[in-house]
C-alpha cells in the first residue's frame, strides 16, 4: 500500500453509469458538440459519481482490522483526517476506530521543549490531548470542513485535511458517510513563527446534522475540551445543546448572511445556553475568510491555554460503550491476542533486566559464540599455539557454550510467546501486533531521549567513548519482537547439540515451521542479528527449508535489497514501494537485516518468472565519523557483502542531491560488488538520490554523475588492489550500471516542515516510477537464487565466507560447485566423444596403412609417403571439425538459461583452452601413430616383395614337380609324394638368395635422443651422460643418492617443523615416473610391432611433464640418473621387441612356416581332389578369422570406456575422488591409505583396473559388445561375398581379391596368408563361395566361444585402447598436486589457469613432523593459509602462508569454510596415528581432542560436503 497524497482525488464512478465513459462519449460526439454552445450553460450530471467520504467509509467497512490500521496510518502520513467514529449504514451503529489508529505514532515539539530542542514521540491513541470538535446544527451556509482546513493550514501552504464541498466530487450527496466522525491532529514544531498552535490538539469533525446523529454528538461533548457548533438557525434545535452531561465548552459559529440571525436572537440563545459573548463567533459581511479563520484560531488557542479536559482516544472507549458505540477492538481474536501480549509485557519495568532474565541464551553467550565462530575462521589470536589444537579448543568452547544454553529451561515469557504465535489465523496476527505496539510503547520514551543525545554526540568525533556508551544503552533499552524470535532461534540452535532422541530437542522441532508460516503471513524474519552481528545459520536455514516445504513447487524467488547510510529513509522507501511494514522510527531504526516475503500476483508471474519477491531491509551503514568505533567498518563490510550477494537488484540509497555523501559508503559497496563478481555474480544496481526537489535535478547532476562514475572507478581500482583482483579497472567491470538509467532522483518525503507536513506527491510518484524500473530490471535478470533452497544456500555460503578476513579467498558455494560439477560432467562427455571419434579414425587409418599396397587397399595412390600426407590432411580436417564442435557445445552450454551457468562464467576460458590443448595433444598423438604405422609398413615393404618372390619360386617348383610326376604316369603313394616334395623344397631353397636381416642397435638410437633432450640443460647434463653407458643403466631398482646436498626444501611453522627431505620426496617422484614409463613401454611391447623412435619421444614427454608438475626442487643429477635408468631398461626391452619382430618377419622362417600347407596343396592338386571346402576353411581361418578377432579387440576398449564413463564415480574428477576415498574408509585398511598417499597414481590405476574387472567380470555387457562387433564383421564379410558373386568373376584369385578389397577399410588381412592361400588353388568358384559362407558362420561361433572362454584379464592385455590408461588420464586430469599436502588437483579440463583441491589433509600424513620432537604434525594447509605462520623453500625463506600465491601462483588453496570438510582426514589420522608414525619413522602426533570425537559416519558425511555430493 503506497503513500499517495492524491488518492482522495480519484473519481468514484458507478460501473453501470451512463457517464462512466463520459470522455469517450465526448470524443465520439466531438463534431456535433463543437457547434452546440448551449452546453456551456448546462450543469454536468454527477448523480452517478461518489462522494470521497462514501468511498473512505466503504473502504473501512470492507477491510479487516489490519488493513484498517494500514489505511489509517497512511492517511495520517498524508495529513488526511482519519475515521474516529465509523457509521454502519446497515446496523445504524457507529464504531470507535481505536484499533485502526493504534499504529499511528506522532513526533512533535511542544512549547516547553522548544529551547532544549527536545521532542515527544507518542502513540497517538495513548496521548492525552485536548480535543476540539466541530459539528453542524441544521443547515449551514458556511463550509465547516473547508474552514477547518484553513484553520489548520498556514498562509504559505494550504492542505485539504478534510474533504469539503469544493473538492472534486465533494459536493456529491453523501449516501453512507453521514454520521462519520473524523479526527486529525495539529502538532507544533516548536517554532513560534510557524506554529499555528503552540500545544498539540486533536481536531474532530462530525459529518451531517447533529440532530440526526445525537449519539455521536453526545460522544464528542463528553470527550472534547470544546465543541464548535456551526449553524444558520438555532431556535428549534436548541435543546440539543442543553444536555447537562456534556463536559465540553460550547461555541456557536454562525453566518450573518442568514437574515434571521439578529442580535436579539443571539442574546436569547446565549441566555438559554448560559453562554458568554466570547462563546459566539459570527462571520459578518465585513469579515473575509482569512480574518474569520484567524478569529477561530484565537478562540481555539484560548481554549488550549486552559482546556479543562484532556483525554486519550483509548480513554474514550468507556464513554463509547456507555453510549452504545461499539469498539473495533471488541472482536474475540483481538482481545485474545491482547490478553496474551499483555501477559508478557505487563510486568516489564526495566528492559535490560527483563532481557537478562527472560532471554538468557542471547546477549553475552550469543556474542561469545559469535566471536568463537569468527575466530575459527580468522585465527587472529592463535599466537604460537598449534593451529589445529587451537581450532579444536575453539570448537570445544562452542560446545560448552551450547551446553550452557541448554542448561537454561525455556523461560515463562518465551513459553507464552511460542504459545501466542502458535495460535491460529487472525489471533496470531493480533498477538504479534499487540506485542510490537506494547514493546514499542515501553521503549519509546527512553529511546527518544537517547537517540537525540546520540545524534548530538555524533556531531563531534571526539565523543567516541560517550557515543559507544549511548550506543550500548540504545541496544540495552530497545526491546522488540525480534528479540523474542532471536531467543527462539537460539533455543532451537542449542537444542541441535542435544541427542536426536532427547525429548527437549524433539519438542522444539516445530519452531522453524511456525516462523516459516509467519513469513508467509507477511511478518519479517531477522537474517542478521544487529546486536551480535551474526546470523544463526542453522535456524535461518531450517526456517527457509520449512518455507520451501510450505510453498513448493511454487518456490521461485527474486531478491531486492536496500543499502545506504543510516537514517536516509531506506525502510520508508521499501514500505512505500512494496507496501510492506518494516519498522520505521527516528534514529537508528533497523539493526542488522530483515527479510520479508511478498507473493507475486498471477499477472506479474509471467513478467518476473517468480512466485515470491524477497525484500531485504538493512541497518544503515555507519557514517565516516563513526568509523573509528569498534570494528564498525568490518561490520558494514560484512553486512554489505551479504546482502549484495543475496540480491538480484540492490538499491543504493543516498539522502541528498549531489554525490559527495556517496563517498562514505562507496568503498563498502564497491568492495561488496567486486567480491560478488569474483564469485560468479554480477547483480544489478540502482542508485536512489533522496531529497531532490528540483525537477531539473537529473540534468543538473549530469556532471555529478560523471564525477561519481570517475570516483567509483577509482575506488574500484583501490578495492581491486586490496582484494588482489587488479584486472578490474572500472566500476562497470564489477557490476551492471548505466549512469543514465541507474540513477533515480526522489524528492523529500515531506511536503513542508514536519510534523504537519503531508507526504510529498512527487515522492509517491517518483517511488512508483522507481518501482516500475526495478520490476523491469528484475524481469531481465537471471536470478542467482532461483528458489528458496538456493537462496538458503547463498546465505550459508556468503556468511561463511564473510566470516573470513579475505572474502574472495574464502568463498565457496555449493550452487557454484554444483554448476562447476555440471560443467565438468558435460566437458568430460564432449572430451570423450572427441577422443572416441579420433581413436576410431586412427584405427581406421592404421587399417588402411596396413592394407596399403595390397589387394585390400582402398586408395589409388601408389606412393606411401604421399598417402601419409593425405591421411594427415584428413586428420587435421577431422580434428578441426571436432574442435569446433566442442567449442560450439561450450558456447551453447553458457547460453542456456538453467543450471546457474553464469556462476561459472569465469571458468569458460579455462575450458576453452583445455579444448584447444586437447586438439594439439591429440594431433601430435595421431600424427605419431600414423608415422609409426607408415614407417613400419615401409620397413616391411621390401620384405613383402622378397617373400612374394620366394613364394612364386616355390609355386613354380611345385607346379613343375606335379607335371613331372604326372608325366611318369606312375601311381605314387602319399609317402612317395612327401619324399618328392621334400627333395624339391630343399633344392629350391638352396637356389634362393637368402640373407640374414639386419637388426638395429636400439641403444644407439635411444642414447642419441636422450642426449638431444638433455643438451639444453647444460654441459653438466652431457658430462653426466658420458660417465655411464646406457647399457649399464636400468639393471637395478632406482635409488636417488644426492651427493653433498642437504635438504633444500623445508617448511617451517613457528620454527618447529620440517618437511620430508629432498631425498625421500624425489625418490617418491622417481618411483611414480618409472611406473608410468614402464606401463607405456609394456603397452608398446604388447602391440608386437617394430620399434620406432617416437616411442622414446613419448616417454620423454611423460618424464618432462611429470618433473614439471612437481613443486619439489630437482637437481640435474636427479633428472639425468632417472632418465638413464628409465631408458636403459626401455632400450633393453625395445631391443628384444625389435629382434622378435625381425625374426617373425624373416622370409626364410615364413616359407618354412608354410611348408606343410604347400605340401598338402601339392598332394591335393596331384590327386585332383576337390579343394573348395578346404580352401574356404583356409581362407576363413588364416585370413578372415585373425582379422575379425583383431577388429573386435581394436574396438572393444572404446566400449569399455563408454560403459565406465556412465558410472557416477567417473563422471567428474571430484566424483571420482569422493568414490575412491569412500571406498578407502570402508576398507578400514591402513596399507591402502598408505598406498593412496605415497603412490597416488599407482593406487588409482589399480583401483580403476579392479573396478573394470569387477564390473565386466559380472556383467554381460562385454559379451554384448563382442557380439555386436563380431556380427558387424560377419555381416560385412557376407555382403562382400555376395558382391563378389554378383560380379561374375572368372578367377578364384580375383574372387578372393574382390572380397579382400571390399573389407579393406575394416579388416587388416594378412598378405602372407593371402599369398599362401592363392598358391595351387584349383577350387571351383561357386562351390568355394558356398563353403566360404558356411565357414564364416562357423568362425563366428568359434570366436564367440573363444571370447567366452578367454579370461577378462587376458582380453585387457590385447585391447588396442587400454581402458584403464584412458580412464586414468580422465580422472587424474592435470596431475598437479597441492604444494603443501600433495592432494591432487580437482579442476576440470587440463589447461585450467588455477589448480584447486576440494579436500586438503593434515601435513603429518605426508610425513611432516616437528623438528624438536619428531612427532607428526596435525596442521592442515587449508588452515595454515589463513594463519600468520610462515613456510620456506629454496626460492625464499620464511614466507607467510597467507601470501602463498606469491610462490605458488597457479594454486588456489581455500580455507575449510565448513570447518568439517577435513573431518575425513582428521578421522583417518586419529585412527591410524601409530601406524603412520611407525611407517614414517616418527612419533605419533598429538591429536586434538575434537578429532577424537569424529565418527566414521561423520567422516563420510564430511566427504559429501567437501565434494558437494547430494
Amino acid at each position: 500500500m503506497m503513500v499517495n497524497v492524491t488518492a482522495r482525488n480519484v473519481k468514484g464512478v458507478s460501473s453501470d453509469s451512463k457517464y462512466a465513459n463520459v470522455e469517450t462519449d465526448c470524443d465520439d460526439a466531438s463534431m456535433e458538440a463543437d457547434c452546440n454552445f448551449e452546453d456551456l450553460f448546462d450543469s454536468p450530471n454527477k448523480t452517478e459519481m461518489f462522494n470521497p467520504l462514501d468511498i473512505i467509509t466503504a473502504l473501512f467497512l470492507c477491510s479487516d482490522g489490519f488493513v484498517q490500521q494500514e489505511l489509517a496510518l497512511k492517511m495520517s502520513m498524508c495529513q488526511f483526517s482519519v475515521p474516529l467514529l465509523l457509521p454502519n449504514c446497515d446496523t445504524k451503529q457507529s464504531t470507535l476506530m481505536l484499533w485502526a489508529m493504534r499504529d499511528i505514532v506522532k513526533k512533535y515539539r511542544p512549547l516547553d521543549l522548544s529551547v532544549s530542542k527536545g521532542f515527544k514521540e507518542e502513540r497517538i491513541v495513548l496521548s492525552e490531548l485536548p480535543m476540539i470538535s466541530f459539528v453542524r446544527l441544521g443547515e449551514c451556509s458556511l463550509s465547516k470542513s473547508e474552514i477547518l482546513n484553513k484553520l489548520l493550514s498556514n498562509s504559505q501552504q494550504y492542505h485539504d485535511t478534510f474533504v469539503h464541498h469544493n473538492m472534486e466530487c465533494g459536493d456529491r450527496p453523501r449516501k453512507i458517510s453521514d454520521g462519520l466522525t473524523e479526527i486529525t491532529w495539529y502538532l507544533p514544531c516548536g517554532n513560534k513563527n510557524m506554529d499555528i498552535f503552540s500545544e498539540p490538539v486533536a481536531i474532530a469533525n462530525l459529518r451531517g446534522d447533529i440532530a440526526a446523529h445525537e449519539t455521536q454528538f453526545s460522544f464528542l461533548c463528553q470527550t472534547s475540551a470544546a465543541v464548535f457548533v456551526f449553524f444558520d438557525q438555532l431556535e428549534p434545535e436548541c435543546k440539543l445543546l442543553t444536555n447537562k452531561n456534556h463536559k465540553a465548552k460550547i461555541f456557536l459559529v454562525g453566518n450573518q448572511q442568514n437574515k434571521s440571525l439578529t442580535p436579539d436572537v443571539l442574546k436569547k440563545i446565549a441566555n438559554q445556553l448560559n453562554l458568554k459573548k466570547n462563546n459566539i463567533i459570527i462571520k459578518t459581511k465585513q469579515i473575509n475568510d482569512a480574518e474569520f479563520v484567524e478569529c477561530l484560531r484565537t478562540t481555539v488557542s484560548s481554549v488550549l491555554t486552559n482546556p479543562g479536559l484532556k483525554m486519550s482516544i483509548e480513554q474514550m472507549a468507556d464513554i463509547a460503550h456507555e453510549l452504545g458505540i461499539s469498539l473495533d477492538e471488541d472482536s474475540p481474536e483481538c482481545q485474545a491476542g491482547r490478553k496474551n501480549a499483555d501477559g508478557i509485557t505487563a510486568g516489564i519495568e526495566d528492559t535490560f533486566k527483563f532481557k537478562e532474565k527472560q532471554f538468557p541464551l542471547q546477549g553475552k553467550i550469543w556474542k561469545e559464540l559469535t566471536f568463537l565462530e569468527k575466530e575459527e575462521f580468522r585465527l587472529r589470536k592463535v599466537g604460537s599455539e598449534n593451529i589445529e589444537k587451537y581450532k579444536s579448543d575453539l570448537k570445544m568452547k562452542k560446545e560448552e557454550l551450547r551446553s550452557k544454553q541448554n542448561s537454561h529451561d525455556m523461560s515463562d515469557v518465551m513459553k507464552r510467546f511460542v504459545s501466542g504465535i502458535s495460535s491460529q489465523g487472525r489471533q496470531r496476527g493480533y498477538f504479534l501486533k499487540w506485542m510490537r505496539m506494547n514493546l514499542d510503547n515501553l521503549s519509546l520514551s527512553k529511546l527518544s531521549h537517547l537517540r537525540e543525545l546520540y545524534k548530538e554526540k555524533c556531531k563531534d568525533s571526539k565523543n567516541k567513548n560517550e557515543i559507544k556508551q549511548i550506543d550500548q544503552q540504545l541496544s540495552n533499552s530497545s526491546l522488540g519482537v525480534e528479540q523474542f524470535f532471536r531467543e527462539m532461534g537460539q533455543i532451537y540452535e542449542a537444542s541441535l547439540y542435544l541427542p536426536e532422541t532427547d525429548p527437549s530437542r524433539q519438542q522444539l522441532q516445530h519452531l522453524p515451521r511456525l516462523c516459516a508460516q509467519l513469513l508467509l503471513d507477511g511478518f519479517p524474519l531477522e537474517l542478521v542479528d544487529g546486536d551480535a552481528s551474526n546470523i544463526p545459520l542453522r535456524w535461518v536455514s531450517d526456517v527457509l527449508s520449512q518455507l520451501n516445504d510450505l510453498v513448493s513447487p511454487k518456490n521461485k524467488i527474486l531478491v531486492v535489497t536496500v543499502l545506504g547510510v543510516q537514517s536516509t529513509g531506506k525502510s520508508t522507501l521499501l514500505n512505500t514501494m512494496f507496501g510492506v511494514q518494516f519498522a520505521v522510527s527516528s534514529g537508528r531504526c533497523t539493526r542488522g537485516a530483515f527479510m520479508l516475503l511478498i507473493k507475486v500476483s498471477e499477472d506479474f508471474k509471467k513478467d518476473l518468472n517468480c512466485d515470491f519477491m524477497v525484500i531485504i531491509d538493512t541497518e544503515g551503514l555507519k557514517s565516516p565519523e563513526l568509523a573509528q568505533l569498534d570494528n564498525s567498518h568490518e561490520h558494514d563490510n560484512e553486512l554489505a557483502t551479504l546482502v549484495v550477494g543475496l540480491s538480484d537488484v540492490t538499491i543504493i540509497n543516498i539522502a541528498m542531491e549531489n554525490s559527495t555523501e556517496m563517498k562514505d559508503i562507496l568503498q563498502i559497496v564497491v568492495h561488496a560488488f567486486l567480491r560478488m563478481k569474483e564469485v560468479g555474480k554480477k547483480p544489478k544496481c540502482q542508485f536512489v538520490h533522496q531529497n531532490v526537489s528540483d525537477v531539473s535535478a537529473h540534468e543538473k547532476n549530469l556532471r555529478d554523475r560523471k564525477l561519481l562514475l570517475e570516483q567509483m572507478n577509482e575506488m574500484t581500482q583501490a578495492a581491486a588492489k586490496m582484494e588482489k583482483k587488479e584486472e578490474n579497472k572500472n566500476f562497470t567491470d564489477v557490476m551492471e550500471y548505466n549512469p543514465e538509467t541507474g540513477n533515480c532522483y526522489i524528492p523529500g518525503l515531506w511536503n513542508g516542515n514536519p510534523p504537519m507536513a503531508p507526504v510529498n506527491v512527487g515522492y509517491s510518484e517518483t517511488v512508483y516510477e522507481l518501482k516500475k524500473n526495478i520490476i523491469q530490471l528484475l524481469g531481465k535478470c537471471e536470478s542467482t537464487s532461483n528458489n528458496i533452497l538456493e537462496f538458503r544456500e547463498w546465505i550459508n555460503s556468503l556468511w561463511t565466507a564473510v566470516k573470513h578476513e579475505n572474502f574472495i579467498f574464502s568463498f565457496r558455494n555449493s550452487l557454484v560447485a554444483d554448476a562447476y560439477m555440471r560443467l565438468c560432467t558435460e566437458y568430460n562427455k564432449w572430451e570423450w566423444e572427441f577422443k572416441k571419434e579420433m581413436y576410431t579414425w586412427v584405427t581406421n587409418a592404421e587399417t588402411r596403412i596396413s592394407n596399403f599396397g595390397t589387394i585390400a587397399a582402398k586408395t589409388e595412390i601408389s606412393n606411401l609417403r604421399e598417402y601419409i600426407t593425405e591421411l594427415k590432411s584428413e586428420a587435421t580436417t577431422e580434428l578441426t571439425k571436432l574442435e569446433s564442435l566442442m567449442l560450439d557445445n561450450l558456447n551453447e552450454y553458457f547460453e542456456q538459461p538453467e543450471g546457474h551457468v553464469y556462476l561459472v562464467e569465469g571458468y569458460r576460458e579455462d575450458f576453452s583452452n583445455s579444448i584447444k590443448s586437447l586438439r594439439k595433444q591429440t594431433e601430435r598423438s595421431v600424427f605419431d601413430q600414423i608415422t609409426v604405422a607408415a614407417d613400419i609398413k615401409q620397413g616391411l615393404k621390401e620384405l613383402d616383395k622378397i617373400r612374394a618372390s620366394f613364394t612364386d619360386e616355390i609355386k613354380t617348383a611345385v607346379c613343375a614337380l606335379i607335371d613331372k610326376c604326372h608325366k611318369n604316369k606312375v601311381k605314387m603313394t602319399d609317402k612317395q609324394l612327401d619324399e618328392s616334395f621334400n627333395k624339391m623344397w630343399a633344392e629350391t631353397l638352396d637356389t634362393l638368395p637368402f640373407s640374414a636381416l639386419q637388426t638395429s642397435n636400439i641403444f644407439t638410437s635411444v642414447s642419441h635422443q636422450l642426449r638431444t633432450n638433455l643438451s639444453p640443460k647444460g654441459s653438466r647434463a652431457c658430462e653426466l651422460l658420458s660417465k655411464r653407458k646406457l647399457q649399464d643403466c636400468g639393471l637395478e631398482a632406482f635409488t636417488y643418492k644426492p651427493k653433498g646436498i642437504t635438504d633444500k626444501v623445508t617448511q617451517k611453522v613457528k620454527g618447529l617443523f620440517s618437511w620430508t627431505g629432498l631425498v625421500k620426496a624425489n625418490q617418491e617422484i622417481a618411483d611414480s615416473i618409472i611406473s608410468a614409463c614402464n606401463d607405456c613401454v609394456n603397452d608398446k611391447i604388447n602391440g608386437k610391432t617394430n620399434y620406432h623412435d617416437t616411442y622414446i619421444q613419448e616417454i620423454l614427454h611423460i618424464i618432462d611433464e611429470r618433473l614439471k608438475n612437481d613443486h619439489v626442487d630437482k637437481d640435474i643429477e636427479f633428472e639425468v640418473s632417472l632418465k638413464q635408468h628409465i631408458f636403459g631398461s626401455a632400450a633393453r626391452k625395445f631391443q628384444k621387441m625389435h629382434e622378435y619382430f625381425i625374426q617373425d618377419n624373416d622370409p626364410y622362417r615364413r616359407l618354412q612356416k608354410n611348408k606343410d600347407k604347400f605340401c598338402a596343396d601339392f598332394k591335393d592338386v596331384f590327386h585332383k581332389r576337390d579343394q573348395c571346402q578346404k580352401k574356404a576353411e583356409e581362407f576363413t581361418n588364416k585370413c578372415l578369422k585373425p582379422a575379425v578377432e583383431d577388429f573386435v579387440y581394436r574396438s572393444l576398449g572404446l566400449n569399455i570406456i563408454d560403459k565406465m564413463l556412465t558410472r557416477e564415480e567417473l563422471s567428474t574428477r571430484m566424483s571420482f575422488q569422493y568414490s575412491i576415498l569412500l571406498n578407502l574408509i570402508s576398507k578400514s585398511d591402513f596399507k591402502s591409505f598408505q598406498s593412496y598417499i605415497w603412490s597416488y597414481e599407482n593406487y588409482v590405476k589399480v583401483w580403476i583396473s579392479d573396478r573394470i574387472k569387477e564390473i565386466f567380470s559380472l556383467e554381460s555387457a562385454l559379451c554384448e559388445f563382442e557380439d555386436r562387433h563380431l556380427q558387424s564383421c560377419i555381416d560385412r564379410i557376407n555382403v562382400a561375398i555376395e558382391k563378389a558373386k554378383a560380379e561374375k568373376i572368372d578367377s578364384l584369385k580375383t574372387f578372393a581379391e574382390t572380397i579382400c578389397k571390399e573389407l579393406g577399410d575394416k579388416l587388416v588381412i594378412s598378405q602372407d596368408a593371402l599369398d599362401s592361400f592363392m598358391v595351387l588353388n584349383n577350387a571351383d568358384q561357386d562351390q568355394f563361395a558356398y563353403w566360404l559362407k558356411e565357414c564364416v558362420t562357423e568362425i563366428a561361433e568359434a570366436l564367440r566361444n573363444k571370447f567366452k572362454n578367454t579370461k577378462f584379464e587376458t582380453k585387457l592385455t590385447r585391447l588396442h585402447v587400454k581402458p584403464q590408461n584412458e580412464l586414468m588420464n580422465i580422472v587424474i586430469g592435470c596431475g598437479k598436486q597441492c604444494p603443501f599436502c600433495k592432494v591432487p588437483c580437482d579442476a576440470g579440463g587440463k589447461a585450467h589457469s588455477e589448480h584447486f583441491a576440494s579436500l586438503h589433509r593434515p601435513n603429518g600424513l605426508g610425513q611432516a613432523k616437528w623438528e624438536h620432537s619428531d612427532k607428526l604434525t596435525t596442521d592442515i594447509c587449508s588452515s595454515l593459509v589463513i594463519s600468520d605462520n610462515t613456510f620456506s623453500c629454496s626460492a625464499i625463506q620464511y614466507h607467510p602462508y597467507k601470501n602463498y600465491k606469491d610462490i605458488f601462483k597457479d594454486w588456489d588453496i581455500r580455507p575449510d569454510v565448513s570447518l568439517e570438510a577435513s573431518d575425513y582426514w582428521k578421522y583417518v589420522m586419529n585412527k591410524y596415528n601409530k601406524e603412520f608414525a611407525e611407517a614414517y619413522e616418527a612419533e605419533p602426533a598429538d591429536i586434538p581432542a575434537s578429532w577424537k570425537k569424529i565418527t566414521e559416519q561423520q567422516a563420510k558425511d564430511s566427504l559429501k560436503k567437501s565434494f558437494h555430493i547430494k
Side-chain angles (χ1 to χ4, degrees), residues 797-916:
S797 51
L798 284 166
W799 191 247
T800 302
V802 155
K803 284 189 259 189
H804 284 86
E805 287 181 299
N806 187 335
F807 175 87
I808 294 172
F809 173 56
S810 319
F811 181 81
R812 279 191 193 175
N813 178 282
S814 70
L815 296 176
V816 178
D818 288 344
Y820 186 76
M821 285 270 277
R822 280 192 289 272
L823 175 57
C824 288
T825 304
E826 288 303 307
Y827 177 81
N828 286 352
K829 289 177 186 173
W830 305 332
E831 182 183 44
W832 172 237
E833 286 301 318
F834 179 100
K835 286 184 173 182
K836 188 164 68 171
E837 287 292 321
M838 288 314 299
Y839 278 137
T840 305
W841 186 91
V842 168
T843 301
N844 181 268
E846 287 176 334
T847 301
R848 287 186 282 167
I849 292 169
S850 296
N851 288 329
F852 183 83
T854 69
I855 56 171
K858 285 279 188 178
T859 180
E860 300 298 324
I861 300 171
S862 57
N863 184 287
L864 182 59
R865 292 296 160 204
E866 189 181 329
Y867 187 51
I868 294 306
T869 304
E870 185 184 89
L871 283 177
K872 286 185 177 180
S873 175
E874 189 182 318
T876 303
T877 304
E878 188 70 14
L879 284 164
T880 302
K881 183 184 85 175
L882 293 172
E883 181 189 15
S884 298
L885 180 63
M886 274 189 86
L887 290 169
D888 289 344
N889 286 338
L890 183 68
N891 291 330
E892 284 173 20
Y893 184 84
F894 277 97
E895 285 166 11
Q896 63 178 335
E898 299 298 325
H900 301 305
V901 291
Y902 51 89
L903 293 177
V904 288
E905 179 67 41
Y907 296 103
R908 189 200 283 234
E909 191 177 344
D910 280 356
F911 281 93
S912 179
N913 290 338
S914 292
I915 292 169
K916 292 166 187 171

Side-chain angles (χ1 to χ4, degrees), residues 44-153:
N45 189 339
K46 297 183 183 177
T47 52
E48 297 299 324
M49 292 186 182
F50 297 125
N51 190 295
L53 290 172
D54 284 342
I55 295 174
I56 291 169
T57 304
L59 276 173
F60 272 88
L61 287 171
C62 295
S63 303
D64 68 8
F66 300 106
V67 177
Q68 286 178 347
Q69 218 172 51
E70 191 69 10
L71 279 169
L73 177 63
K74 295 293 193 287
M75 288 174 73
S76 175
M77 285 177 69
C78 294
Q79 296 300 338
F80 293 162
S81 57
V82 296
L84 175 66
L85 298 176
L86 184 72
N88 189 321
C89 57
D90 294 330
T91 63
K92 307 297 181 186
Q93 190 180 21
S94 290
T95 303
L96 177 61
M97 305 302 287
L98 176 57
W99 172 259
M101 290 186 281
R102 280 214 180 257
D103 224 16
I104 301 173
V105 176
K106 295 285 187 180
K107 189 163 63 169
Y108 61 93
R109 181 175 290 137
L111 187 63
D112 57 343
L113 292 178
S114 60
V115 177
S116 65
K117 300 297 181 186
F119 67 91
K120 283 189 176 181
E121 188 173 10
E122 295 177 327
R123 196 168 297 280
I124 205 70
V125 296
L126 302 180
S127 298
E128 292 188 5
L129 302 176
M131 184 166 77
I132 311 295
S133 298
F134 292 80
V135 299
R136 169 173 63 82
L137 181 59
E139 292 300 321
C140 182
S141 55
L142 290 172
S143 174
K144 169 170 54 75
S145 298
E146 190 170 11
I147 289 171
L148 274 178
N149 291 340
K150 292 176 181 178
L151 177 77
L152 296 173
S153 302

Side-chain angles (χ1 to χ4, degrees), residues 163-256:
V163 174
H164 59 86
H165 188 272
N166 290 323
M167 280 177 59
E168 193 169 9
C169 297
D171 60 341
R172 292 296 81 216
R174 295 194 294 267
K175 295 182 178 180
I176 61 171
S177 55
D178 270 348
L180 171 68
T181 305
E182 300 164 279
I183 188 170
T184 190
W185 297 269
Y186 182 85
L187 304 169
C189 66
N191 187 323
K192 287 183 179 181
N193 297 324
M194 295 171 65
D195 287 338
I196 295 170
F197 305 113
S198 58
E199 294 298 329
V201 59
I203 306 292
N205 183 16
L206 173 61
R207 302 289 180 167
D209 188 353
I210 59 174
H213 305 97
E214 292 186 32
T215 304
Q216 288 93 325
F217 177 62
S218 183
F219 174 82
L220 292 176
C221 288
Q222 293 186 52
T223 56
S224 303
V227 177
F228 285 75
V229 183
F230 282 64
F231 69 96
D232 276 353
Q233 193 171 344
L234 273 176
E235 283 180 295
E237 309 294 344
C238 217
K239 60 183 180 181
L240 271 174
L241 306 177
T242 58
N243 193 323
K244 292 180 181 178
N245 291 327
H246 292 177
K247 301 172 184 176
K249 298 174 185 177
I250 301 294
F251 291 85
L252 300 180
V253 182
N255 190 354
Q256 194 186 8

